[in-house]
Amino acid sequence: MATDFWASSHYKRWIVDRATVKRARTEDLLYVDDPDYLDFLAIYFANVITKLGKKLQLRQRVIATATVFFRRFYLKNSYCETDPFVVISACCYVAAKAEESPVHIKNVVAESRALFSQENYNVKNFPTDNSKLAEMEFYLVDDLECDLTVFHPYRTLLTLCRTESCAGETEEGEAGELSVAMGSAGVGIGSDEGPRYWGTGQGQLELTSAALQTAWFIINDTYRSELCLLYPPHLIAVAAIYLTFILHPPSRISSPQSSQSDTHSQSHSSVPVAGANTQPRRSSRNAHSESSSSKAVQPPKPQDPITFLSELNVSLPLVATISQEIISMYALWDRYREDASPDVPKNTRDGGSPMTTGATSAAGSPVKRPSSRSGSMVLSGSTPSGSDLGDAAVGLVGVGAGTGDEIITPSFLSSVLLRMREARLTDMAQPTGGRLVAVNKMLERAQAAG
Amino acid sequence: MSILDEWSNGILQHDPMRLYRAKRDANHGAVSSKYAILGFISSGTYGRVYKAQSLEEDGRIHAIKKFKPDKEGDVITYTGISQSAIREIALNREIDHENIVALKEVILEDKSIYMVFEYAEHDFLQVIHHHSQTIRTPISTAVLKSLIYQLINGLIYLHASHILHRDLKPANILITSSGVVKIGDLGLARLIYQPLQPLFAGDKVVVTIWYRAPELLMGAKHYNKAIDCWAVGCVMAELASLRPIFKGEEAKLDSKKNVPFQRDQLIKIFEVMGTPSEKDWPGLVHMPEYPNMKRLDEFSYRLAEWCQSRIRSAQGYELLRQLFAYDPDSRLTAKDALQHKWFHEEPLPTWNAFQSVPPNQIPPHRRITQDEAPSMMPLPTQNAQTQHTQHMGASSVHHMGAPFSKPGSSTSMSGGGVYGQSTATTGGGNGHGGGMPSRKKARMG
C-alpha cells in the first residue's frame, strides 16, 4: 500500500471535488461576515497546526498529516459548530501516532493550552484534562473513517529530484529535515523498492539544493489551502517543481553549463545561491558529500526540465491548474499578517513584515512571503537574489492582489471565529430553532451589496 | 439577547464541543444494533475477541475485537487510542488480500473501539493441537505445504506493501472453514516505508520469543522483512513437528526496561542450526550481543537430521534451511520462498488447505464461551463505572496465561511475554502448559 496510491484510502475516499469542499462550508457561510474570511481561516488554521506541531517537535510530514486530518474533518463539520482548537490538538495527537512518532497526551494538552491562550488566539478555556482531548480523538478518528494513512507530495519530490549538495544544506528546521529525508530515506529498508506510484517517468531531475528547498517549501505552503483535498499529492509535487522552475532562474537549474559546474566543482563558490552566510560552518560536510556523490554522477547532459515534466505520466493541464491555485493561495496569503506578539520578534523576516517595500508592492509576490517560521518557501538563507525572482513572481501573480485590500491578522480571525460560534449557538437557542442571526447576516450582506 | 449571549458564552467556555457531540450522538450506530454477540473467543492484553453475527440480512459471522482503553501503569488515566490500535486500524484500512484477515468496519462507541473482522474458524495453533492432542498424527505434507504456501502468499503482499508483521506465530495465523489461510493481528505490524524514526525506537521488543529472528536476539538496531521470514520458518517447523522448534525461555526485561541477552533462546537455535560463524553471517561481529554470544558453547549444525523424520522431503528441508539463514541479507525472501521447488513437487499446494483431509479429521470449530466479563459488550443497563471495574478485574485473570491471541494460543504464548511485564511475570515460567488454566477456565465458563 505504501507504494500504491491508487489502491489507498487517500485516493479512493479522500480526493474530493471543489463542490464538496464548498458544500462543507455552507453552515459557516451563514455566520461569517465576509466569505473571504473562510479562506483566511484555512491559512490561519494551518499556521496554528504548524505552530503546535513545532512546539511538540513534530516532523514536517507529521504536521502535514495533521493538517490533512484537519481538512478532512471539516469536510464533514462546520467551524462554527465545533471548537477548531480542540480539533487541532487532536489532529496533531493522532497524526503523531499515525506517523509512528507518538507524543504524550499530556504534552499535547500542555502545549496546546500554552499556545492557544496567547493573545492572538485568545482561547481561555482549553481543557486541562486529558479526557477531553481523548474524547475528541475518538470523534476525530471516527469522522476520518479510520483512514489514517496519508500520502504527501514530499515523497514524490524526493523521488523525482535529486541534488548534488543536499547533504550540505543542513539548516535547522525544514531544510534540515529535507536533507535528513534525502540522506536516510528508508532506515532499515531500501526505500527505492517500489516503482513510482503514478507512472513510468525515468530518471531523476537534477536540482540545485536551493531549488529543491524552494520546491519543498512550496509544498509546505500548499497545506495552507484545501489543495490536499482536491488533488493527488504527486500532482501537487509536480506543480511545486514547475513553480520552482519559474521562480528559480532556469539557467541555474538545468543548463548544461551550470550542471557541469555543480557536479564537477568541489568549491562552494559554485554552489548557487544558498545562504552564503551559513556556508562556512558546514563546509567540511559539504565538501565530503560532494566528493562522495560526484563519483556517481553520470556525464552531464543537458536536461530540459520542461521536457522532463512533460515526459511524466501526469496531466499537464491539471498541473497548470494546481500551479494557478497555489499562486492564488499566495496572493491571498499576502494579505495575512502575523500579529506582533511577544514571542515573534518584530524585525525578523518572518514576523509581521509588510510586503510593501515599494518595489514589491505591485504584486502578491510569493517570494516575499514572510513566513520562514513555518518553513515556507522562502527561507532567509536561501532567498534567491532579488530582481529576477521578483520579476518572475510579478509575472506569475499577474494582477496585484494586495493593493488596497485589508490586512488580516490572526487576532482578527480569532474574533471572527468566536463570533461565528457564538452566533451559531444563539440560533440554536431559539425556541423555534430558527436562524435569526444567520438571516440577519444574509440581510446585512445583501444590503451591503445593494 | 444578552441573556442568550451569556448562555452561549457559557457553553463556549465550558463545553465547546457540545453542538458537535449532540450531532454525533444523534446518528451513531451502536455495536449492539448491528451485531448479535454469540460468545467470547479469547482475550489478551489488548482486549477481547467475540464471535458475532451481523443483524443485516446476510447474517454473516464476524470476529469483533474490542480494545481496552489505553492506560498507564495501574492508574487509570485515559490516554486515548493506543499506538497499537492506531496501527492495526490504519494498516487494515489500506490493505486487501485473500490471505490477510479482512477488516469489515471499525465502530467507536462509548470510549471503546470495536474492530469487526471476517470470521475464521481455525488457526494454525489449533490445528497443531488437534493433531498433537486429538488425532495424534502429523499434519500431512499436502496440508502443511498448502498452509505455508498461503502464509507466504499473504506475507508477500504485506512486504510488497512495505509492512512488517513483526508477530507471526501459529496463534496469529487463521484458517477459514474453507481452508483459506488468513494472516491476522496487525497490532505489532508497521509500515516501514520511509520511517521518520528507526524501527527500534518505537518498540524495543518485537516478535514472540520462539519466533524471534537471531538478529533481533543479537540486539540488532536495524532489521527488516527478513524477521518475518525467520518466523515463517519457525511456523513451518512447528506445523511439521507439532511443537515449537526453538522453544527457549525468555529472559525478562529488567526494572529499567533494558532488553536482556536472550541466552536460552539463542542456545535453542544453535542446538539445531549450529553456532553461527562470521562466514555465514558477516555482520555477526558487529551485533551488540556478540561478546555475550561468544561465551556460549559451540554447537554443530543438525537441521538436516532434524528434518529427516519431520519434513520428509529434500526440498522441504532446503526451504527450511534457507528460511533459517543466519544472515538476514541472505535469508530467503517471501517472494523467493513462494517460488521454491518444494511447492512445485507433489503434493502440490491447494487453495483449500483441507482439500485432502477426510471430514472426520478436520479440526473442530472454534470454541466459544459465555463471556466471563459480559460488561465488555455494551449493555444498556450498566453504568460506565461498574463496567470499567468489572472489565479490569476480568481481564487481569486472562492476563495470567495469554497476551492477546486466538483460542488455544495461550499455551504457546505463555513464554512469550512480548507485550509486557504483567504477562511475563505471571505466566512466563510455566513453559508450555502455562496458559492452560486460563484457557480451560474460559471454556468451562
Side-chain angles (χ1 to χ4, degrees):
Chain A
M1 103 209 175
T3 45
D4 191 0
F5 175 72
W6 307 116
S8 69
S9 64
H10 189 153
Y11 175 69
K12 287 192 283 195
R13 290 188 281 273
W14 294 103
I15 298 291
V16 299
D17 58 13
R18 198 161 276 288
T20 307
V21 173
K22 239 182 159 149
R23 212 178 307 124
R25 296 278 70 79
T26 310
E27 194 78 20
D28 292 322
L29 267 174
L30 294 176
Y31 293 93
V32 72
D33 299 316
D34 180 346
D36 278 357
Y37 293 166
L38 293 179
D39 295 328
F40 283 110
L41 279 172
I43 298 175
Y44 168 87
F45 288 132
N47 285 352
V48 177
I49 293 170
T50 304
K51 280 187 179 162
L52 181 59
K54 300 271 172 188
K55 295 223 175 225
L56 293 167
Q57 298 181 309
L58 302 180
R59 304 279 295 272
Q60 183 58 45
R61 194 172 85 199
V62 184
I63 291 171
T65 298
T67 314
V68 172
F69 287 169
F70 183 86
R71 303 263 182 246
R72 289 180 181 179
F73 179 82
Y74 282 108
L75 273 179
K76 298 179 167 185
N77 297 284
S78 318
Y79 299 142
C80 63
E81 288 190 354
T82 55
D83 180 352
F85 290 95
V86 177
V87 176
I88 284 171
S89 299
C91 286
C92 288
Y93 181 49
V94 177
K97 283 192 264 195
E99 297 284 351
E100 295 278 357
S101 37
V103 286
H104 199 286
I105 190 167
K106 273 189 232 152
N107 294 350
V108 181
V109 170
E111 294 293 352
S112 300
R113 276 181 69 81
L115 177 66
F116 299 159
S117 65
Q118 284 174 10
E119 220 172 300
N120 49 352
Y121 302 123
N122 201 21
V123 178
K124 297 273 185 285
N125 59 320
F126 193 85
T128 41
D129 68 318
N130 303 344
S131 61
K132 282 277 184 296
L133 181 55
E135 179 194 64
M136 186 62 235
E137 174 189 36
F138 232 77
Y139 288 133
L140 173 66
V141 170
D142 205 8
D143 265 350
L144 294 176
E145 297 170 34
C146 298
D147 293 328
L148 304 176
T149 306
V150 179
F151 286 68
H152 294 293
Y154 304 108
R155 188 159 96 186
T156 308
L157 178 67
L158 298 185
T159 312
L160 273 186
C161 303
R162 71 195 156 120
T163 158
E164 288 309 307
S165 51
C166 67
E169 280 306 305
T170 313
E171 280 285 347
E172 68 264 38
E174 314 311 316
E177 184 158 332
L178 173 57
S179 62
V180 167
M182 293 289 290
S184 72
V187 175
I189 273 283
S191 62
D192 50 352
E193 286 180 32
R196 289 177 192 173
Y197 56 85
W198 67 89
T200 56
Q202 301 273 310
Q204 281 186 308
L205 189 58
E206 206 169 288
L207 293 183
T208 64
S209 53
L212 189 66
Q213 262 183 19
T214 301
W216 181 276
F217 291 148
I218 290 175
I219 292 173
N220 287 355
D221 291 346
T222 61
Y223 289 95
R224 266 100 189 158
S225 68
E226 320 259 45
L227 279 172
C228 58
L229 296 173
L230 295 167
Y231 303 104
H234 64 277
L235 291 181
I236 296 176
V238 175
I241 296 167
Y242 171 67
L243 288 177
T244 303
F245 286 140
I246 296 173
L247 292 174
H248 275 254
S251 64
R252 284 182 177 148
I253 297 162
S254 60
S255 78
Q257 305 97 299
S258 108
S259 119
Q260 206 139 19
S261 73
D262 278 356
T263 49
H264 292 301
S265 165
Q266 305 290 313
S267 87
H268 302 300
S269 57
S270 77
V271 177
V273 191
N277 56 331
T278 53
Q279 269 190 359
R281 80 187 152 79
R282 24 168 229 258
S283 56
S284 61
R285 295 190 56 176
N286 214 359
H288 172 75
S289 79
E290 279 187 17
S291 56
S292 64
S293 56
S294 57
K295 274 178 267 170
V297 167
Q298 305 93 343
K301 62 172 185 339
Q303 195 179 22
D304 171 19
I306 300 304
T307 309
F308 179 83
L309 290 181
S310 67
E311 280 170 357
L312 292 173
N313 188 12
V314 297
S315 154
L316 288 185
L318 210 46
V319 170
T321 304
I322 297 170
S323 305
Q324 272 307 323
E325 293 191 26
I326 295 176
I327 291 164
S328 333
M329 187 268 303
Y330 279 125
L332 193 70
W333 195 4
D334 227 24
R335 292 170 52 199
Y336 180 92
R337 287 302 131 63
E338 287 298 323
D339 296 285
S341 78
D343 69 325
V344 182
K346 184 110 196 159
N347 62 336
T348 52
R349 311 156 284 273
D350 56 271
S353 85
M355 62 164 177
T356 41
T357 52
T360 58
S361 65
S365 130
V367 281
K368 297 298 187 278
R369 272 313 316 151
S371 53
S372 67
R373 259 169 83 76
S374 44
S376 179
M377 188 195 94
V378 178
L379 243 206
S380 52
S382 62
T383 304
S385 60
S387 58
D388 44 353
L389 277 177
D391 292 345
V394 171
L396 270 180
V397 178
V399 190
T403 39
D405 280 320
E406 60 182 319
I407 296 304
I408 307 288
T409 63
S411 312
F412 175 74
L413 289 170
S414 300
S415 64
V416 166
L417 185 63
L418 193 64
R419 281 204 302 276
M420 286 169 65
R421 293 172 60 203
E422 279 170 355
R424 177 74 190 112
L425 266 174
T426 308
D427 269 1
M428 289 290 284
Q430 300 297 325
T432 53
R435 298 194 156 173
L436 283 182
V437 177
V439 172
N440 284 342
K441 271 265 145 40
M442 285 191 282
L443 277 177
E444 275 169 35
R445 235 185 269 158
Q447 280 166 357
Chain B
M1 210 50 177
S2 68
I3 298 170
L4 278 173
D5 278 351
E6 212 167 278
W7 175 81
S8 64
N9 250 326
I11 299 266
L12 281 180
Q13 290 301 316
H14 302 299
D15 193 1
M17 290 302 278
R18 181 184 151 136
L19 284 179
Y20 174 70
R21 198 181 306 113
K23 203 174 190 175
R24 289 299 307 268
D25 293 348
N27 54 15
H28 96 308
V31 176
S32 54
S33 72
K34 293 172 127 177
Y35 299 93
I37 305 303
L38 302 176
F40 163 71
I41 295 176
S42 68
S43 72
T45 37
Y46 291 156
R48 299 167 71 79
V49 179
Y50 297 85
K51 184 173 179 176
Q53 183 164 28
S54 168
L55 295 176
E56 286 164 25
E57 266 171 38
D58 62 359
R60 214 178 272 267
I61 303 293
H62 296 280
I64 299 186
K65 178 173 180 176
K66 178 178 177 171
F67 284 92
K68 289 192 305 201
D70 208 15
K71 64 181 176 84
E72 290 201 317
D74 294 331
V75 189
I76 299 160
T77 54
Y78 187 55
T79 59
I81 307 173
S82 70
Q83 181 75 31
S84 104
I86 290 277
R87 267 181 195 152
E88 188 163 6
I89 291 170
L91 291 176
N92 268 295
R93 285 293 282 171
E94 306 292 329
I95 57 181
D96 175 23
H97 189 266
E98 174 78 359
N99 294 119
I100 316 259
V101 178
L103 176 69
K104 191 193 167 204
E105 66 172 328
V106 182
I107 301 175
L108 295 123
E109 183 188 339
D110 293 338
K111 295 189 176 168
S112 294
I113 305 162
Y114 301 86
M115 293 184 77
V116 182
F117 288 101
E118 67 178 312
Y119 182 74
E121 198 60 78
H122 315 281
D123 58 66
F124 277 24
L125 192 67
Q126 180 229 27
V127 169
I128 291 166
H129 276 281
H130 177 65
H131 280 266
S132 66
Q133 308 294 321
T134 312
I135 60 177
R136 294 176 178 279
T137 52
I139 296 169
S140 70
T141 304
V143 174
L144 170 68
K145 195 180 289 183
S146 304
L147 293 179
I148 294 299
Y149 185 88
Q150 294 188 44
L151 166 61
I152 293 171
N153 196 47
L155 189 59
I156 287 175
Y157 176 81
L158 286 181
H159 285 182
S161 308
H162 298 275
I163 296 170
L164 294 192
H165 187 283
R166 305 200 300 181
D167 198 19
L168 284 178
K169 60 183 178 185
N172 285 343
I173 307 163
L174 315 181
I175 314 167
T176 67
S177 52
S178 49
V180 178
V181 172
K182 304 274 182 184
I183 297 176
D185 200 344
L186 297 181
L188 257 192
R190 246 200 84 163
L191 198 55
I192 47 160
Y193 191 88
Q194 296 183 349
L196 289 173
Q197 294 187 45
L199 298 182
F200 70 88
D203 310 83
K204 280 196 168 168
V205 183
V206 294
V207 194
T208 305
I209 186 99
W210 298 341
Y211 309 92
R212 199 178 297 164
E215 60 270 28
L216 293 171
L217 297 167
M218 294 294 291
K221 291 277 177 261
H222 297 284
Y223 56 86
N224 56 27
K225 297 166 184 175
I227 66 162
D228 285 337
C229 297
W230 178 274
V232 168
C234 298
V235 169
M236 175 176 163
E238 187 163 338
L239 286 173
S241 69
L242 301 181
R243 56 190 310 281
I245 178 168
F246 308 127
K247 207 178 119 196
E249 289 281 336
E250 179 165 35
K252 302 305 174 204
L253 299 175
D254 68 18
S255 54
K256 290 184 191 124
K257 305 238 166 158
N258 292 317
V259 182
F261 177 54
Q262 295 294 350
R263 182 176 181 277
D264 193 62
Q265 183 61 33
L266 274 174
I267 289 176
K268 290 293 188 302
I269 293 173
F270 294 174
E271 279 171 358
V272 178
M273 300 305 302
T275 303
S277 70
E278 222 183 305
K279 201 175 98 246
D280 307 330
W281 187 0
L284 181 65
V285 293
H286 306 297
M287 294 286 155
E289 301 288 7
Y290 180 70
N292 281 325
M293 187 212 98
K294 281 314 259 185
R295 285 194 280 273
L296 302 179
D297 296 335
E298 286 276 326
F299 294 90
S300 55
Y301 178 84
R302 36 179 294 269
L303 180 68
E305 213 178 310
W306 188 94
C307 284
Q308 223 154 39
S309 60
R310 296 171 175 95
I311 301 281
R312 299 177 304 271
S313 150
Q315 288 303 336
Y317 157 69
E318 191 53 33
L319 172 60
L320 205 50
R321 187 183 66 80
Q322 291 171 298
L323 288 171
F324 283 151
Y326 273 121
D327 183 359
D329 294 334
S330 44
R331 198 171 300 150
L332 209 58
T333 63
K335 215 172 163 185
D336 289 341
L338 203 71
Q339 304 303 321
H340 198 275
K341 281 189 190 141
W342 187 53
F343 295 117
H344 297 290
E345 68 179 25
E346 293 288 332
L348 294 176
T350 52
W351 283 114
N352 174 358
F354 298 135
Q355 192 168 294
S356 57
V357 180
N360 62 343
Q361 289 197 5
I362 298 252
H365 283 189
R366 195 177 284 287
R367 302 191 61 160
I368 60 168
T369 61
Q370 290 310 302
D371 192 356
E372 291 163 59
S375 59
M376 283 297 282
M377 291 315 278
L379 290 177
T381 50
Q382 262 165 330
N383 70 41
Q385 192 54 46
T386 56
Q387 201 168 332
H388 204 70
T389 41
Q390 279 184 14
H391 124 238
M392 297 316 301
S395 52
S396 67
V397 169
H398 284 274
H399 272 198
M400 298 292 195
F404 187 72
S405 53
K406 303 296 181 284
S409 63
S410 36
T411 48
S412 85
M413 271 307 300
S414 59
V418 167
Y419 299 118
Q421 288 291 82
S422 66
T423 310
T425 44
T426 46
N430 297 341
H432 204 268
M436 289 307 280
S438 83
R439 181 167 143 243
K440 275 187 183 148
K441 203 165 177 187
R443 290 190 173 176
M444 286 184 302

